[in-house]
Amino acid sequence: MVKLKAFCEMFSEKEIGEILAESGSVDNEIDFEGFLRIYLNLQSRATMKLGGPKNSSSFLKASVTTLLHTISGSEKASYVAHINSYLRDDPFLKQFLPIDPATNALFDLAKGGVLLCKLINVAVPGTIDERAINTKRVLNPWERNENHTLCLNSAKAIGCTVVNIGTQDLVEGRPHLVLGLISQIIKIQLLADLNLRKTPQLVELVEDNNDVEELMGLAPEKVLLKWMNFHLKKAGYKKSVANFSSDLKDGEAYAYLLNVLAPEHCSPATLDAKDPAERANLVLEHAERMDCKRYLTPKDIVEGSTNLNLAFVAQIFHQRNGLSTDNKKISFAEMMTDDEQMSRDERCFRLWINSLDIATYVNNLFEDVRNGWILLEVLDKISPGSVKWKQATKPPIKMPFRKVENCNQVIRIGKQLKFSLVNVAGHDVVQGNKKLILAFLWQLMRFNILQLLKNLRSHSQGKDITDADILNWANKKVKSTGRTSHMESFKDKSLSSGLFFLDLLSAVEPRVVNWNLVTKGESDEEKKLNATYIISVARKLGCSIFLLPEDIIEVNQKMILTLTASIMYWSLQQSVEESESSPSPAATAATPDESPAPSVISEDESTLGGEFSNLTIDDAASDTTVSSQLENEDAPLASDNRTSSQVEDKDNSINRDSPIVSDVVVSSQVEDKDNSINVDTPIISDAVISSQVEDKNNSFTSDTESSPHIENGDTTVKEQTA
């Protein structure tokens, strides 16, 4: 402040020190907002000193906010109370609980990642295999990062939107992001029963059976409002509640609701109270007599805190929903819900769509896709530019033919993307044909996965990746570690034990699987343990997957493919990142003392390069596949992750199959101390092969036409290019 020109001319350093001491807000750290407050305080004093009017700093009088990220103290307090209540008996966390809401202990505890993982399991039991959580008092950065990756991927898998949150935000314990995530997790827990599958009695909320479909398509919050209004109407409340904030501020709606649900605890004083705060207090006392957890204070009701009111109403619903058990209606509701396999697929695709960061949130897949808009948003996300938005109609859509137009465009784009859509038309989607919708979504999801893999694979040379490529990659990966498990196809029944996937995960990241926790996978119980462990380990690694343990145990072909492809995507991503972070061969040129630079193409990528065309194209018929054999009679060439080929070493001979096509730069760098290497390589147009070899005693020769000589230390390189 002293260094600022505006103040140094007006005040001495001592005066500024006194003003700061008066405000009492300066300790070791100061945030941007605190700095602004002090600045404005000094500015107003300076203005007064000059005799001007005192400037108001009204824009800072709001609640504590930093760049629009508001942290509500009462929300934080109620989430802390929730955590203290649900996790107080947790064997690991009980040493840190109860958390004091007045301090930042919540954010400090969230930095380790264990708290958020455990909270996800409270919200949707069984989401995370707790054996996969790193629980130690002191975690190293790697373990902490694993916990956060596991947490974020699992949060996606229960329906949280985690688009702008990364592991670094959680490691730093950024308050607004941590609270936002906790708020979503708790909301999912509290609203879990607000659907016909869990609470078929909700069918009572609609008068006509034709409206049941509409009820199924509502978001849980909307169902909760519908339930509240249903009871308020019975109680004789004249207004309709349309939100969880302003409509509840006066507390009247709560008073009517509780009177109709729990008349035995009813007190006429609640409605007679004139002061909203007093009425809110009586409402909360009434709720406590019903054993409802207190998520909010009278002040929160009066101020209309949306999140806390929602939590409170959900709590009342759990405690006493006041719905009848009319068997006829309930059996109708149960008939309307899907069979188990269909609902598992629905869940998987719904969560996948919500993880894509599209504008619309999907609550009920079969209802929400019927107007075609969400499918167009997904298509635009995974195949940018494919949607003609001028021909699309945004919801709400009143005219049925507009929905058909949207869905016709969806089918048309699907055909352009080579989806199998024989005899499928837009009106099938509009009518909500579940099998066709699931079949279309599966092709969308598969297309997305294969596109992601193709984009990572510089060696795919524009060729599409097939299911066979993924299968082959997985088998080669496991074989390269010396393990014997093998996958015949994605329908292979032996996969139900889970051992192949544990081998595969261990092959891509050796330290991620704790083999002491793995069972033989023989009984159903052992298979279930392995399957839950596989899903959590894959998420911990960084795979974004939405399958359930049952999908592995029953060998659900589609979900097995998505799991394998996700592991492959993660593995190739690491290879690309490593190759980008390693210096280029030219930069690390060659003083004899230096070891050769790491190869730009990593083992993973080139392994696949060799596997590619050979899978789908017959070797003899293929002219794109160039086979190059490296044969070294005397000694095997060791691959230490610098070689860019999958190497099979039998009797010291080495075969390498790798297609080399125009404009591809292949850099291979070989360090060979004692032996000479001869390479015979056919090369297709424009391919550049740069070989940097450090060989202390021998020369490296390569046969072709022109031969520039590079001399480096004792190394002579002859390079000839056709």
Side-chain angles (χ1 to χ4, degrees):
M1 293 297 172
V2 173
K3 285 180 184 169
L4 291 174
K5 204 172 178 184
F7 302 144
C8 67
E9 291 169 2
M10 300 293 298
F11 304 109
S12 67
E13 187 170 340
K14 188 180 173 191
E15 282 176 315
I16 289 179
E18 284 167 1
I19 295 170
L20 292 186
E22 275 173 38
S23 63
S25 58
V26 182
D27 49 19
N28 303 341
E29 283 187 28
I30 184 161
D31 60 7
F32 177 64
E33 193 167 0
F35 176 84
L36 267 184
R37 284 182 197 284
I38 291 167
Y39 177 85
L40 289 166
N41 182 18
L42 278 167
Q43 195 182 46
S44 62
R45 302 241 185 162
T47 318
M48 282 165 68
K49 208 168 178 180
L50 289 169
K54 186 176 179 183
N55 280 354
S56 84
S57 55
S58 57
F59 77 96
L60 271 175
K61 286 178 183 162
S63 68
V64 179
T65 138
T66 310
L67 295 175
L68 303 176
H69 299 311
T70 306
I71 292 167
S72 148
S74 53
E75 267 186 44
K76 179 181 156 192
S78 79
Y79 299 153
V80 165
H82 180 94
I83 290 166
N84 288 341
S85 145
Y86 279 94
L87 290 171
R88 62 169 175 249
D89 299 326
D90 182 84
F92 175 75
L93 288 174
K94 63 183 178 189
Q95 57 187 324
F96 304 105
L97 300 180
I99 299 168
D100 178 1
T103 66
N104 277 335
L106 172 65
F107 307 120
D108 294 337
L109 188 50
K111 287 177 186 176
V114 181
L115 173 73
L116 293 170
C117 287
K118 300 267 190 181
L119 198 57
I120 287 171
N121 267 356
V122 167
V124 183
T127 302
I128 297 176
D129 186 335
E130 300 214 346
R131 297 173 300 171
I133 305 172
N134 299 319
T135 49
K136 292 196 309 205
R137 268 198 88 97
V138 181
L139 294 168
N140 64 37
W142 163 261
E143 291 165 329
R144 195 183 315 132
N145 205 47
E146 277 190 333
N147 278 350
H148 290 313
T149 310
L150 174 60
C151 159
L152 290 175
N153 282 319
S154 303
K156 272 190 221 171
I158 63 169
C160 294
T161 309
V162 293
V163 177
N164 294 319
I165 310 175
T167 51
Q168 195 52 37
D169 299 317
L170 299 180
V171 168
E172 291 169 11
R174 293 195 174 178
H176 63 279
L177 292 174
V178 171
L179 269 191
L181 187 55
I182 290 175
S183 159
Q184 285 191 72
I185 296 168
I186 291 176
K187 186 171 158 189
I188 283 168
Q189 177 187 342
L190 293 173
L191 299 177
D193 292 346
L194 279 147
N195 58 58
L196 283 180
R197 178 182 293 282
K198 296 274 182 68
T199 317
Q201 296 95 314
L202 284 167
V203 78
E204 196 186 337
L205 303 183
V206 291
E207 288 160 19
D208 186 353
N209 283 350
N210 295 336
D211 296 337
V212 174
E213 285 190 1
E214 186 199 334
L215 181 68
M216 288 169 72
L218 288 179
E221 299 94 304
K222 295 273 190 291
V223 176
L224 197 58
L225 280 173
K226 201 172 178 69
W227 168 81
M228 193 173 183
N229 284 318
F230 171 79
H231 282 305
L232 290 175
K233 195 174 170 186
K234 274 205 297 196
Y237 186 61
K238 298 288 183 286
K239 296 180 223 161
S240 167
V241 175
N243 57 54
F244 289 106
S245 52
S246 54
D247 289 1
L248 300 175
K249 280 183 176 179
D250 59 7
E252 271 186 32
Y254 277 137
Y256 275 98
L257 179 67
L258 294 176
N259 285 353
V260 76
L261 289 177
E264 70 276 20
H265 302 306
C266 170
S267 152
T270 314
L271 282 170
D272 297 340
K274 294 284 177 282
D275 177 32
E278 189 187 328
R279 185 183 298 127
N281 198 27
L282 290 166
V283 162
L284 291 176
E285 284 172 12
H286 187 163
E288 260 183 16
R289 290 197 289 276
M290 287 168 60
D291 286 336
C292 285
K293 283 198 173 63
R294 279 186 78 147
Y295 276 96
L296 72 182
T297 61
K299 182 167 171 271
D300 298 323
I301 293 179
V302 174
E303 288 179 356
S305 166
T306 306
N307 284 345
L308 297 182
N309 276 318
L310 172 69
F312 184 51
V313 177
Q315 188 63 40
I316 298 170
F317 175 85
H318 278 286
Q319 210 54 39
R320 196 173 299 197
N321 62 35
L323 298 169
S324 72
T325 46
D326 176 350
N327 290 333
K328 242 193 216 158
K329 276 195 158 184
I330 289 174
S331 59
F332 176 73
E334 283 167 348
M335 235 168 51
M336 293 291 296
T337 54
D338 312 311
D339 64 56
E340 194 192 344
Q341 183 55 55
M342 198 173 259
S343 64
R344 283 215 311 250
D345 288 350
E346 186 271 345
R347 170 196 164 278
C348 171
F349 295 133
R350 170 167 45 85
L351 294 169
W352 169 67
I353 291 172
N354 286 335
S355 74
L356 292 175
D357 185 25
I358 62 170
T360 320
Y361 187 87
V362 182
N363 289 296
N364 180 308
L365 184 78
F366 296 129
E367 289 304 312
D368 293 356
V369 299
R370 284 172 60 176
N371 58 30
W373 182 262
I374 284 175
L375 293 175
L376 288 171
E377 284 187 293
V378 173
L379 282 163
D380 192 52
K381 195 80 181 176
I382 65 175
S383 177
S386 60
V387 178
K388 293 176 178 163
W389 289 111
K390 285 183 178 171
Q391 296 170 14
T393 311
K394 191 174 182 180
I397 304 172
K398 292 197 172 67
M399 313 288 273
F401 75 92
R402 294 277 184 217
K403 295 180 183 178
V404 176
E405 276 179 358
N406 280 357
C407 293
N408 280 340
Q409 187 179 178
V410 167
I411 302 299
R412 195 164 61 246
I413 297 168
K415 286 178 177 168
Q416 286 165 11
L417 298 176
K418 310 268 193 310
F419 290 1
S420 166
L421 295 167
V422 183
N423 297 331
V424 178
H427 67 83
D428 293 315
V429 180
V430 177
Q431 286 167 1
N433 183 324
K434 292 179 181 177
K435 280 191 174 161
L436 285 176
I437 289 170
L438 288 178
F440 182 81
L441 283 167
W442 162 241
Q443 293 184 77
L444 256 184
M445 190 177 187
R446 183 172 164 274
F447 174 82
N448 183 41
I449 292 168
L450 297 179
Q451 280 299 104
L452 288 171
L453 287 169
K454 182 181 169 184
N455 294 345
L456 267 187
R457 293 276 318 103
S458 54
H459 281 234
S460 65
Q461 304 146 3
K463 281 200 204 77
D464 287 338
I465 286 189
T466 64
D467 299 1
D469 298 339
I470 297 170
L471 184 76
N472 214 43
W473 173 84
N475 281 325
K476 284 206 173 181
K477 198 77 191 162
V478 170
K479 192 176 177 186
S480 70
T481 61
R483 295 188 178 272
T484 54
S485 55
H486 184 78
M487 169 163 60
E488 291 299 329
S489 72
F490 295 117
K491 292 187 279 195
D492 188 341
K493 289 295 175 202
S494 67
L495 295 174
S496 68
S497 71
L499 295 176
F500 177 82
F501 289 111
L502 290 161
D503 285 343
L504 180 59
L505 287 162
S506 179
V508 298
E509 179 51 78
R511 56 188 161 185
V512 83
V513 176
N514 178 351
W515 287 99
N516 299 329
L517 304 174
V518 175
T519 69
K520 289 180 182 169
E522 287 164 1
S523 68
D524 288 350
E525 184 54 37
E526 287 182 342
K527 286 178 180 178
K528 180 85 189 265
L529 284 169
N530 281 356
T532 45
Y533 188 56
I534 288 164
I535 292 171
S536 290
V537 167
R539 284 182 182 143
K540 183 174 169 177
L541 202 59
C543 301
S544 189
I545 48 176
F546 305 102
L547 75 170
L548 291 166
E550 289 77 10
D551 293 317
I552 296 176
I553 298 165
E554 294 165 18
V555 193
N556 176 337
Q557 184 184 355
K558 295 172 184 171
M559 297 304 145
I560 296 285
L561 170 60
T562 58
L563 173 62
T564 318
S566 300
I567 299 170
M568 178 177 174
Y569 180 68
W570 183 85
S571 177
L572 293 180
Q573 228 177 359
Q574 303 313 301
S575 313
V576 171
E577 283 168 12
E578 281 166 25
S579 67
E580 282 171 357
S581 61
S582 66
S584 70
T588 55
T591 52
D593 307 331
E594 288 178 323
S595 62
S599 150
V600 176
I601 299 151
S602 71
E603 184 184 347
D604 243 334
E605 263 204 87
S606 50
T607 312
L608 211 65
E611 288 157 23
F612 257 139
S613 333
N614 311 345
L615 288 162
T616 40
I617 305 168
D618 179 31
D619 272 348
S622 155
D623 21 82
T624 48
T625 305
V626 180
S627 125
S628 56
Q629 272 95 19
L630 265 138
E631 291 191 5
N632 179 4
E633 302 295 316
D634 309 319
L637 172 65
S639 153
D640 62 44
N641 290 334
R642 297 195 190 104
T643 51
S644 53
S645 59
Q646 172 96 356
V647 177
E648 282 188 29
D649 181 7
K650 289 185 183 141
D651 300 322
N652 297 339
S653 72
I654 295 159
N655 286 330
R656 178 177 67 181
D657 257 19
S658 65
I660 304 167
V661 185
S662 59
D663 303 330
V664 176
V665 181
V666 178
S667 124
S668 44
Q669 301 163 336
V670 184
E671 182 173 345
D672 180 286
K673 303 274 185 247
D674 309 311
N675 296 296
S676 64
I677 298 171
N678 289 320
V679 186
D680 271 13
T681 332
I683 302 167
I684 296 175
S685 65
D686 300 340
V688 182
I689 296 193
S690 107
S691 313
Q692 299 184 334
V693 181
E694 187 173 331
D695 178 355
K696 304 288 182 206
N697 312 314
N698 297 294
S699 65
F700 175 101
T701 352
S702 170
D703 280 349
T704 36
E705 284 169 25
S706 68
S707 61
H709 291 275
I710 302 163
E711 299 211 356
N712 186 359
D714 300 333
T715 308
T716 310
V717 177
K718 283 187 184 177
E719 182 174 306
Q720 307 172 335
T721 348

